[in-house]
Amino acid sequence: MIHYKTVGKSDHDFLSYLEGSFSKTQRALPIQSLNIESDQETITFRLVEIKEIERPSYFSLLPEILKMRTWLYAFFPMFLIFVKNAADAEPLHFFSYALACIAALFTFLGLQLRNDYIDYIRGSDRLRLNSQTKPLQKGWLAAWQVRNLSWMFLILAAVVSLPIYWMWPAVLYLVLGLVAVAVVFGVFKKSTYKFEKFHEFFVFLFLGPALFAGLQLSMGDSLDKETLFLGGIWGWLCVFQMYIKNFEDIATSSQYGLKNTINWLGFDRSKVFLKYNWLAFVFAFFIYHWFFASVFSTWFLTAVILFWTWPVLQKQMAVSSPLGSSHLQNIKRWKSLIVLVTILWFLENLFYISSMWRWLNLKLS
Amino acid sequence: MDIKVYSAQDFPAYLPKLSRLYDDLFSDGKGFRAKLIAVMARHLQLDHQRQLLLAQTIEFIHNASLLHDDLVDRSPLRRGKPAAWTKYTPEYAVLAGDYLLARVMVNLSSHGNIHLVQYTAEIISDLLEGEWLQDSVIGDFFVSLEQLDRIHNLKTASLFKWCLRAPFIAKQDQGTELHQLLNECGTILGQLFQRSDDLLDYNIRNHEGKAILGDLKSGYLNSFGAFASRGLDRNAIDQMVRSKNLDDFAKALGGHEVFEKKVNEFDHINQEMIDLYQHHLKRLEQILPASSRSLVSDLKPLTDLLYWRKSRS
């Protein structure tokens, strides 16, 4: 016999059930409701004994909790900035750069976990048909533990950043500027950046130009056009990935009343928007390479990306429903295309590194 | 209760064909939803006129959806008889469906309860959205159970939700907690009814003698089909789609034992939903006034009827 418990927002123990702090031996798992209502007055929980919850091994659990599959968003900018500066033979300040990388990773982790926590508390993770936030939904961790972990990483990031601020005050000004933008956008007030129209600009800024600029400055170098352009391209790709995720859930999140850009556009207009947004991204990618990379990689990479883009766009325009397997297949194709671009970009930079290595060996010999 | 006429303007004498079409359509229906309204009305002490209005509304909406559904699906039979679009032409079937929905709005609005009119219009809209989405997954044999749940919530469960909520709205009882609870209960009943109906396709508790694999042969992978085919590779799904009988279907899954196991697992997840329904009923009992609390005892056995297909003694 399964035990259920329903609590309303006005109940004094509402948050303790939602956060999982109501008991030391039990965990309350929210039941997925098809009656999606934004005010969510009540939530029904399935009560389970913590000892009865099946957990995967520690090695499987840790990557899930720390969302390692998304670390690429933090690591790739570090890699790109490193290669850019190495290729330009800029003097590198390794100590502060290493600290900046650690701080960026901790910040990223802290924000990701906070995002999971907020989604869980709002109930929006139960909206997604293919939700990824398993540790909370399956009861492997309580929400309060995720919240505390999030704070721990954010505090660690702040501590690790202190020497960088002392060495390069420009980084501090940049962080303060970013916080100001977040305040203007109401990111802290609404505790999320995903559910409001045009909030992707903050994601673009945070994962793109701001992150790249911060990494560049923490190397002791000055800002340049290439860094901002590079950050802009990467931020664009990150936002595009977010659009695809929102497009995947357009049916359920529209019913829920979420007002992100994709829901605002609707299914058919979003298809057109994604198409032209992607083509504009490829054009920007081409322009960046035209000015800052080799002629071969400019033409070769753009040609390969366009070659793989064509069937994706063709098939996307044929999808007619936001539910069904053809929509999911379409989403998978988009994700594969994004992965392909990232891999090509990574290989291109590996090539630059190997060239530098050969050049260095020649010099030494 | 004869639900055909609520107002004197319903089915005027100068439209005999429309009247005949109506009689054909309603003659063999179980009228389950109207019966549920009768149960609700009895416990809420609704007068006869309001009960008639509600019963007519839900049956008209349901049957309008059947008229349109049969035409969209090109189903030649309804309740073992020629479907209206084959007997009276597709044009008449569409017009008759529209007429039923129009009468619903005329009669409801004359009652003067704007909340009831608005809620009913929302339900009709949900129903049509569900129909629309369902049509978009015809021929899609990789659709997931979760996606079908979303469709069935709009298409099937919306009417069950209406049956539970509308009598309270008619009585001007608009409590948020009450209506959320009734929404949850209606959703569960709708999902269970749909899933049980889908199981008939695989000859599970098929006391009504419904055609075997009818949905699959029409290109529609229903909820049990989507559940059973989880994790199957493309070849197995191709084999499943080509099934001519239950033996073929079981073979595609991996044999009769696997088929039985899938049915048991499906029943198990639905039993969990039934447990959740019973939990919600306990809460309902707590918030209902003493005068209508006895309603819960009549709502309790509905899952036996709708999912396990046990007739009431």
Side-chain angles (χ1 to χ4, degrees):
Chain A
M1 181 72 186
I2 299 168
H3 295 284
Y4 293 100
K5 170 85 181 170
T6 302
V7 283
K9 258 185 182 167
S10 53
D11 296 338
H12 69 280
D13 51 359
F14 179 76
L15 203 60
S16 68
Y17 271 95
L18 203 50
E19 287 201 326
S21 56
F22 71 101
S23 163
K24 285 183 178 162
T25 56
Q26 284 188 316
R27 194 141 285 160
L29 308 179
I31 299 289
Q32 191 182 24
S33 168
L34 289 165
N35 297 302
I36 306 157
E37 285 172 273
S38 53
D39 53 354
Q40 281 216 333
E41 292 292 329
T42 59
I43 300 177
T44 299
F45 297 94
R46 191 156 62 96
L47 301 180
V48 289
E49 296 295 322
I50 292 177
K51 62 184 177 195
E52 287 173 8
I53 295 174
E54 282 181 33
R55 290 174 201 236
S57 70
Y58 187 71
F59 289 106
S60 309
L61 186 61
L62 203 62
E64 283 281 353
I65 292 170
L66 298 180
K67 304 190 82 168
M68 282 186 182
R69 67 185 179 280
T70 64
W71 284 19
L72 176 77
Y73 294 107
F75 280 132
F76 203 61
M78 297 171 196
F79 172 70
L80 288 178
I81 282 290
F82 174 78
V83 176
K84 174 201 160 285
N85 283 285
D88 293 346
E90 299 283 353
L92 304 180
H93 203 292
F94 277 108
F95 175 67
S96 63
Y97 182 67
L99 284 182
C101 289
I102 294 168
L105 182 64
F106 283 165
T107 308
F108 181 77
L109 270 172
L111 292 179
Q112 282 277 59
L113 290 169
R114 181 159 180 76
N115 182 44
D116 280 0
Y117 172 76
I118 296 291
D119 278 359
Y120 181 81
I121 296 293
R122 282 176 62 124
S124 48
D125 61 345
R126 298 189 287 284
L127 274 182
R128 295 181 184 276
L129 295 178
N130 306 300
S131 184
Q132 297 286 329
T133 49
K134 280 187 212 153
L136 276 172
Q137 288 173 342
K138 298 204 169 176
W140 298 340
L141 276 182
W144 68 267
Q145 291 171 309
V146 173
R147 186 198 59 208
N148 287 356
L149 262 179
S150 157
W151 280 118
M152 185 191 83
F153 281 117
L154 288 174
I155 291 167
L156 276 174
V159 171
V160 172
S161 307
L162 286 176
I164 308 171
Y165 299 151
W166 181 72
M167 291 167 76
W168 319 110
V171 181
L172 177 63
Y173 304 145
L174 182 78
V175 171
L176 291 176
L178 202 59
V179 171
V181 172
V183 169
V184 170
F185 270 77
V187 173
F188 296 126
K189 201 169 130 197
K190 296 188 176 170
S191 300
T192 182
Y193 54 84
K194 290 187 302 192
F195 305 126
E196 296 294 325
K197 202 165 52 183
F198 306 133
H199 265 201
E200 53 271 35
F201 178 70
F202 182 75
V203 178
F204 167 78
L205 205 61
F206 180 77
L207 288 174
L211 177 59
F212 279 67
L215 290 169
Q216 173 81 5
L217 291 171
S218 62
M219 278 186 164
D221 207 345
S222 57
L223 263 187
D224 53 35
K225 278 184 203 160
E226 186 182 353
T227 303
L228 293 176
F229 207 149
L230 196 57
I233 300 284
W234 179 249
W236 193 331
L237 195 64
C238 294
V239 169
F240 192 82
Q241 173 118 350
M242 198 177 104
Y243 283 146
I244 293 296
K245 188 76 199 142
N246 289 341
F247 188 54
E248 183 178 353
D249 299 315
I250 186 170
T252 46
S253 64
S254 293
Q255 285 176 348
Y256 184 65
L258 298 185
K259 294 183 181 71
N260 61 45
T261 306
I262 293 293
N263 290 356
W264 174 66
L265 286 169
F267 185 72
D268 282 336
R269 282 194 295 174
S270 287
K271 284 198 300 185
V272 177
F273 171 72
L274 290 174
K275 175 182 167 181
Y276 287 111
N277 193 301
W278 179 258
L279 289 175
F281 165 78
V282 177
F283 182 68
F285 187 83
F286 172 83
I287 294 293
Y288 165 78
H289 280 79
W290 180 266
F291 285 111
F292 301 109
S294 70
V295 175
F296 173 75
S297 61
T298 302
W299 289 104
F300 177 72
L301 293 183
T302 310
V304 172
I305 293 169
L306 281 177
F307 179 77
W308 286 104
T309 295
W310 182 248
V312 177
L313 293 185
Q314 265 197 323
K315 283 177 180 155
Q316 156 150 301
M317 297 320 279
V319 177
S320 58
S321 169
L323 287 180
S325 63
S326 57
H327 177 57
L328 292 182
Q329 284 297 322
N330 177 45
I331 297 295
K332 274 186 192 163
R333 280 190 286 270
W334 272 120
K335 287 180 179 171
S336 304
L337 190 57
I338 292 168
V339 170
L340 174 84
V341 170
T342 313
I343 290 172
L344 286 174
W345 209 353
F346 177 71
L347 292 176
E348 179 199 10
N349 280 275
L350 274 189
F351 173 75
Y352 292 143
I353 290 181
S354 65
S355 305
M356 286 183 296
W357 197 251
R358 281 205 303 274
W359 173 81
L360 190 65
N361 281 340
L362 279 173
K363 284 272 180 189
L364 290 173
S365 62
Chain B
M1 179 185 287
D2 180 14
I3 58 165
K4 185 175 179 183
V5 177
Y6 171 79
S7 129
Q9 276 73 44
D10 292 340
F11 295 95
Y14 53 84
L15 295 173
K17 200 179 208 176
L18 180 65
S19 194
R20 275 206 307 279
L21 189 153
Y22 171 91
D23 291 337
D24 276 351
L25 182 66
F26 280 69
S27 61
D28 289 324
K30 291 188 283 291
F32 172 78
R33 291 160 190 83
K35 286 176 190 162
L36 182 53
I37 289 292
V39 169
M40 300 291 293
R42 192 173 72 244
H43 290 285
L44 298 181
Q45 291 97 40
L46 292 183
D47 58 57
H48 178 75
Q49 268 310 92
R50 275 193 289 182
Q51 184 189 334
L52 174 62
L53 174 66
L54 295 177
Q56 187 198 56
T57 299
I58 196 63
E59 286 298 332
F60 275 21
I61 295 172
H62 174 56
N63 282 283
S65 77
L66 297 183
L67 282 170
H68 291 164
D69 205 23
D70 286 343
L71 179 57
V72 170
D73 298 345
R74 296 288 187 272
S75 304
L77 294 174
R78 169 61 58 187
R79 293 165 185 154
K81 293 187 301 185
W85 70 276
T86 60
K87 188 173 176 184
Y88 295 91
T89 76
E91 290 83 353
Y92 274 116
V94 171
L95 290 173
D98 291 349
Y99 180 79
L100 291 178
L101 294 178
R103 289 314 306 170
V104 161
M105 283 301 139
V106 171
N107 291 339
L108 269 186
S109 53
S110 70
H111 180 60
N113 185 332
I114 189 67
H115 296 297
L116 192 54
V117 177
Q118 188 193 2
Y119 178 52
T120 306
E122 277 173 21
I123 288 298
I124 294 172
S125 169
D126 283 352
L127 189 70
L128 292 173
E129 278 184 35
E131 285 279 1
W132 194 280
L133 287 169
Q134 188 175 41
D135 198 50
S136 73
V137 297
I138 298 287
D140 184 346
F141 296 102
F142 296 89
V143 68
S144 69
L145 180 62
E146 290 74 17
Q147 289 177 319
L148 289 176
D149 280 348
R150 297 280 171 194
I151 293 171
H152 295 152
N153 188 38
L154 291 168
K155 196 186 157 209
T156 314
S158 57
L159 296 186
F160 283 90
K161 286 190 253 189
W162 191 93
C163 288
L164 298 184
R165 287 182 63 187
F168 282 96
I169 299 174
K171 223 188 148 192
Q172 308 283 4
D173 192 342
Q174 306 268 36
T176 309
E177 191 184 357
L178 170 72
H179 282 274
Q180 279 189 343
L181 205 44
L182 294 170
N183 243 0
E184 293 291 340
C185 290
T187 303
I188 294 173
L189 288 180
Q191 293 283 349
L192 289 172
F193 172 74
Q194 184 63 56
R195 288 181 177 190
S196 172
D197 195 58
D198 290 348
L199 277 171
L200 301 182
D201 221 39
Y202 301 90
N203 211 22
I204 306 296
R205 298 184 279 277
N206 187 8
H207 314 308
E208 299 166 25
K210 191 182 167 189
I212 309 299
L213 297 186
D215 287 341
L216 197 66
K217 286 174 185 168
S218 321
Y220 176 59
L221 188 71
N222 68 26
S223 60
F224 178 70
F227 176 82
S229 61
R230 270 178 180 173
L232 290 186
D233 61 27
R234 183 171 273 277
N235 287 337
I237 289 187
D238 283 345
Q239 193 188 337
M240 186 187 83
V241 171
R242 286 196 301 270
S243 302
K244 288 197 167 56
N245 51 47
L246 267 186
D247 281 342
D248 291 348
F249 183 82
K251 268 183 207 158
L253 290 185
H256 282 279
E257 272 184 25
V258 178
F259 175 77
E260 290 297 329
K261 194 171 160 239
K262 295 274 183 190
V263 172
N264 289 337
E265 285 171 5
F266 195 62
D267 280 345
H268 179 73
I269 61 164
N270 291 320
Q271 180 57 50
E272 285 188 1
M273 220 193 294
I274 292 171
D275 291 343
L276 183 60
Y277 174 76
Q278 301 298 342
H279 164 78
H280 287 321
L281 285 187
K282 278 183 199 155
R283 290 179 55 224
L284 185 65
E285 201 165 18
Q286 286 165 7
I287 61 171
L288 282 177
S291 58
S292 47
R293 208 166 285 159
S294 54
L295 168 67
V296 173
S297 58
D298 272 343
L299 293 180
K300 263 183 190 165
L302 284 183
T303 49
D304 281 346
L305 188 69
L306 292 173
Y307 187 74
W308 299 111
R309 302 267 163 175
K310 291 178 190 166
S311 53
R312 292 183 76 176
S313 52

